[in-house]
Amino acid sequence: MATLAHLSLLSKLSPPPKLNNLFSTIPRTRLNPQSKPTWFKCLASQTGFFTKLGRLIKEKAKSDVEKIFSGFSKTRDNLAVIDELLLYWNLSETDRVLDELEEALLVSDFGPRITIQIVEKLREDILAGKLKSGSEIKDALKKSVLDLLEKKGNKTELQLGFRKPAVVMIVGVNGGGKTTSLGKLAYRLKNEGAKILMAAGDTFRAAASDQLEIWAERTGCEIVVADGEKAKASSVLSQAVKKGKEQEFDVVLCDTSGRLHTNYSLMEELIACKKAVGKVVRGAPNEILLVLDGTTGLNMLPQAREFNEVVGITGFILTKLDGSARGGCVVSVVDELGIPVKFVGVGEGVEDLQPFDAEAFVNAIFS
């Protein structure tokens, strides 16, 4: 494995754009074999910057409800049967209606435990005379889902601490959309006024750095990449965070190699990456976001459990939900692990990584 002695440092201003060179405008840093570790005094920036940043992103979620609504159209179509069931509901058909409602929730990947919990609570309230019409039952259903999301996954805003730079690690299995999610997150944060540095910590996949460089070009962010195929991911991330401190970046977004949750040697590398950035900025990483492919539905739960056990996940990014009718997995993953969903991917556009808003989500799937 390579050490710092095998890496090279090159910082330069980007030249004027050239049409024949895709990466000509990307300010890049390569690691230097001559450079010695430099330790910086931690200077606490104003807490208000990160608090305001989180709130701005959250407010955008409420203003972009149309994207959330359209992004969950397939799940909503799956659950439309509930409206038909409740339209002519009467007390004598309670068991049949609730059985079919239960089936609709399961088909949308709400998961057995949460589905039974919701349906039995509805049954109890119906028999107690608390719910007397189809509209009241639907309102109670929506409230049950919303209460669960707000109780178990209420910290949906990015928690970026109070030291600059804030460090966000993006982790997940191969093909889940980590690098794309990182690029879209960089775009959103930069648009809110943050100075962003990307770190190409995926040192296993040959095209990963090139893909992230394209996102750096697209979003106008700087990027730190490794020089050489055998560079350690932990070294790349460590040097990126050091540059982030030295040059006063607000946020460092760290890409990591995709790995199966059953590959323990690669999972241990994530621990090394986490420790490496923590040595540069106390308390880093501020967020460890696990990217999960929404089309896998409940199959994402074993991945989430393993990653959380190894590195301590602070939030989820659920991708590809616009192409899936299994949006109930959002509720399942929060219910199972008590970890909030921070963002959802509802399209291929650069603005289609949406901050998660529980109320908007519930209204989108139960229109």
Side-chain angles (χ1 to χ4, degrees):
M1 299 298 291
T3 63
L4 287 178
H6 296 96
L7 305 172
S8 65
L9 174 61
L10 175 60
S11 281
K12 60 183 180 180
L13 295 173
S14 56
K18 295 180 182 179
L19 294 176
N20 62 349
N21 186 346
L22 180 61
F23 305 127
S24 62
T25 60
I26 306 175
R28 295 168 46 154
T29 296
R30 292 191 182 276
L31 307 183
N32 187 352
Q34 313 301 328
S35 64
K36 297 180 180 179
T38 304
W39 300 102
F40 300 86
K41 182 180 179 182
C42 284
L43 298 175
S45 61
Q46 292 183 354
T47 308
F49 175 82
F50 289 131
T51 302
K52 181 180 178 183
L53 183 63
R55 286 176 180 169
L56 283 172
I57 292 174
K58 190 70 175 176
E59 287 170 6
K60 279 290 180 67
K62 295 186 180 298
S63 65
D64 289 342
V65 290
E66 192 60 37
K67 284 185 178 291
I68 295 290
F69 189 83
S70 61
F72 284 98
S73 60
K74 292 188 176 181
T75 300
R76 185 167 60 253
D77 291 344
N78 251 9
L79 296 171
V81 66
I82 294 175
D83 288 330
E84 298 174 18
L85 289 170
L86 297 178
L87 184 60
Y88 301 109
W89 171 85
N90 61 70
L91 188 60
S92 64
E93 293 188 332
T94 296
D95 288 339
R96 179 188 66 81
V97 168
L98 290 182
D99 285 346
E100 293 189 38
L101 188 151
E102 179 179 305
E103 182 179 347
L105 294 177
L106 289 172
V107 167
S108 297
D109 271 13
F110 272 76
R113 186 175 73 177
I114 187 61
T115 296
I116 292 172
Q117 178 183 323
I118 290 172
V119 170
E120 290 308 311
K121 181 65 167 64
L122 290 175
R123 190 189 310 276
E124 179 183 319
D125 288 347
I126 290 170
L127 296 179
K130 296 179 181 179
L131 304 175
K132 299 177 181 179
S133 68
S135 61
E136 288 182 354
I137 294 173
K138 184 174 179 179
D139 288 343
L141 169 62
K142 292 171 67 173
K143 186 176 185 302
S144 294
V145 176
L146 181 60
D147 287 349
L148 183 147
L149 290 171
E150 291 183 338
K151 179 180 178 181
K152 291 194 172 184
N154 60 335
K155 292 184 178 180
T156 57
E157 293 181 14
L158 286 175
Q159 307 296 309
L160 299 177
F162 58 90
R163 289 185 179 86
K164 293 187 181 182
V167 180
V168 179
M169 279 178 60
I170 309 293
V171 303
V173 301
N174 296 300
K178 290 186 318 306
T179 304
T180 299
S181 295
L182 187 152
K184 292 179 179 181
L185 179 57
Y187 173 84
R188 186 169 286 278
L189 291 171
K190 193 168 190 293
N191 276 2
E192 299 301 344
K195 184 180 179 183
I196 306 299
L197 178 64
M198 296 181 179
D202 186 348
T203 56
F204 282 88
R205 186 164 61 94
S209 291
D210 292 343
Q211 185 183 356
L212 198 61
E213 284 180 313
I214 291 173
W215 275 107
E217 166 82 9
R218 193 174 179 183
T219 59
C221 296
E222 294 191 38
I223 183 172
V224 172
V225 298
D227 186 14
E229 297 180 358
K230 295 183 178 180
K232 285 185 177 180
S234 56
S235 296
V236 176
L237 300 191
S238 176
Q239 290 296 315
V241 177
K242 287 176 183 177
K243 177 178 177 176
K245 289 183 67 174
E246 186 177 37
Q247 298 187 19
E248 297 184 345
F249 282 86
D250 297 315
V251 183
V252 180
L253 298 177
C254 301
D255 196 13
T256 60
S257 301
R259 64 207 69 224
L260 290 173
H261 57 286
T262 52
N263 190 323
Y264 295 107
S265 61
L266 288 180
M267 292 292 278
E268 286 176 356
E269 185 194 61
L270 286 180
I271 300 175
C273 291
K274 182 179 179 180
K275 289 180 178 178
V277 299
K279 289 178 180 178
V280 183
V281 174
R282 189 173 63 185
N286 304 86
E287 292 271 18
I288 302 178
L289 303 181
L290 174 61
V291 177
L292 295 169
D293 183 344
T295 62
T296 63
L298 291 177
N299 292 326
M300 68 174 61
L301 290 176
Q303 298 174 26
R305 292 191 192 100
E306 289 292 336
F307 274 94
N308 185 47
E309 186 174 335
V310 172
V311 290
I313 301 302
T314 61
F316 297 116
I317 298 177
L318 300 185
T319 62
K320 308 177 187 179
L321 287 169
D322 56 309
S324 171
R326 309 169 83 176
C329 64
V330 174
V331 183
S332 298
V333 75
V334 173
D335 177 56
E336 288 279 341
L337 297 173
I339 297 171
V341 175
K342 303 274 184 173
F343 295 91
V344 289
V346 292
E348 297 182 0
V350 69
E351 296 182 349
D352 290 335
L353 184 71
Q354 291 291 307
F356 182 71
D357 180 84
E359 185 175 0
F361 166 74
V362 170
N363 288 332
I365 62 173
F366 298 112
S367 63

